Amino acid sequence: MQKVKLPLKVDPVRTAQKRLDYDGIIKAELLTRLAESTESVISDANVTLSFDFDHRHIAFMRGHAEVEVTLSCQRCHGGFPYTINVDFCYTPIPKSGEVDDLPEAYEPTDVDENGEFDLIEIIEDEFLLDLPQIPMHDDEHCFMHSSDMTCGEIPIADERPNPFAVLESLKK
C-alpha cells in the first residue's frame, strides 16, 4: 500500500468527530528543524495518526512516527544512521485554558485561530525531543572504543596556605 502525504494542518475536534485515521508520510525536506539538528534526514517520516474522543469527551490525537537520520558520533566524529521512533498523544488546549483538568496522558497543544494545529511542527518536536543528547556509535561499530579513551591524570592539589589566614591574625 502506498503512503500518502499527510495534511499540513488539521482541526483535531472535527477530525475526532469523524474518527479519522491517517497513515502517511511527511517529506524529509519539510523537516527543516530536524535537518538542522542532525547531519541529515535520510528518509521521509512514516506517520500513523488516530483521532477520537475519550470517555470525558476530550478530543485527542494518538500517533506513532518514525524517521531515519544521520547523526555525528561524539567519540569519532563519523556519521552513523539512527532511527527515531516516537509515540505521542495530544489534545487541543480547551477554550477555558484549563490544562490542569486534562488527563496526564495527553500533551496539551495550542491551536491557531481556525482551531487547527500544525501536524509537521508537532511531529518534528517529538523527533527533536527523542534525539540522544550525546550521539555515539555502538562500541563495536566505532573505531574509537570507550576503553581506548582516557580523560588524563588529575594532578594532586598542592597544599597552599589559606588566603584567609591573614584575616584570622587580624581578629586577635
Side-chain angles (χ1 to χ4, degrees):
M1 181 170 92
Q2 183 178 353
K3 297 207 176 221
V4 297
K5 286 190 229 179
L6 292 175
L8 300 177
K9 291 188 172 200
V10 67
D11 181 332
V13 176
R14 271 197 239 147
T15 311
Q17 288 170 342
K18 297 176 183 177
R19 288 188 164 74
L20 291 179
D21 295 329
Y22 290 101
D23 188 8
I25 61 168
I26 297 174
K27 290 287 196 185
E29 53 267 8
L30 295 176
L31 301 171
T32 55
R33 291 183 298 142
L34 185 62
E36 291 170 1
S37 300
T38 61
E39 292 290 314
S40 66
V41 179
I42 299 171
S43 68
D44 295 337
N46 292 314
V47 182
T48 56
L49 302 172
S50 293
F51 292 85
D52 205 350
F53 286 98
D54 66 3
H55 67 282
R56 293 175 52 190
H57 203 66
I58 297 173
F60 68 90
M61 173 188 74
R62 186 178 317 271
H64 174 80
E66 177 179 311
V67 69
E68 192 168 340
V69 297
T70 302
L71 298 178
S72 178
C73 178
Q74 297 301 298
R75 267 193 300 237
C76 69
H77 300 290
F80 67 98
Y82 182 79
T83 302
I84 304 172
N85 281 300
V86 292
D87 292 305
F88 47 88
C89 189
Y90 282 91
T91 187
I93 294 178
K95 290 183 177 104
S96 63
E98 290 293 324
V99 294
D100 295 335
D101 295 337
L102 294 174
E104 281 187 34
Y106 300 158
E107 185 69 34
T109 188
D110 288 323
V111 291
D112 63 13
E113 63 277 355
N114 298 323
E116 299 177 332
F117 54 59
D118 188 334
L119 284 178
I120 294 171
E121 184 178 306
I122 288 174
I123 293 167
E124 192 170 29
D125 285 347
E126 288 293 327
F127 287 149
L128 290 169
L129 289 171
D130 202 58
L131 285 174
Q133 285 185 335
I134 303 171
M136 289 186 282
H137 286 104
D138 291 331
D139 248 357
E140 62 269 6
H141 296 108
C142 191
F143 69 87
M144 290 280 295
H145 296 285
S146 58
S147 60
D148 297 337
M149 299 177 66
T150 62
C151 294
E153 295 291 322
I154 299 175
I156 298 174
D158 56 338
E159 291 295 323
R160 295 185 203 161
N162 185 347
F164 299 104
V166 175
L167 295 175
E168 186 67 37
S169 66
L170 291 176
K171 277 179 147 181
K172 295 178 183 175

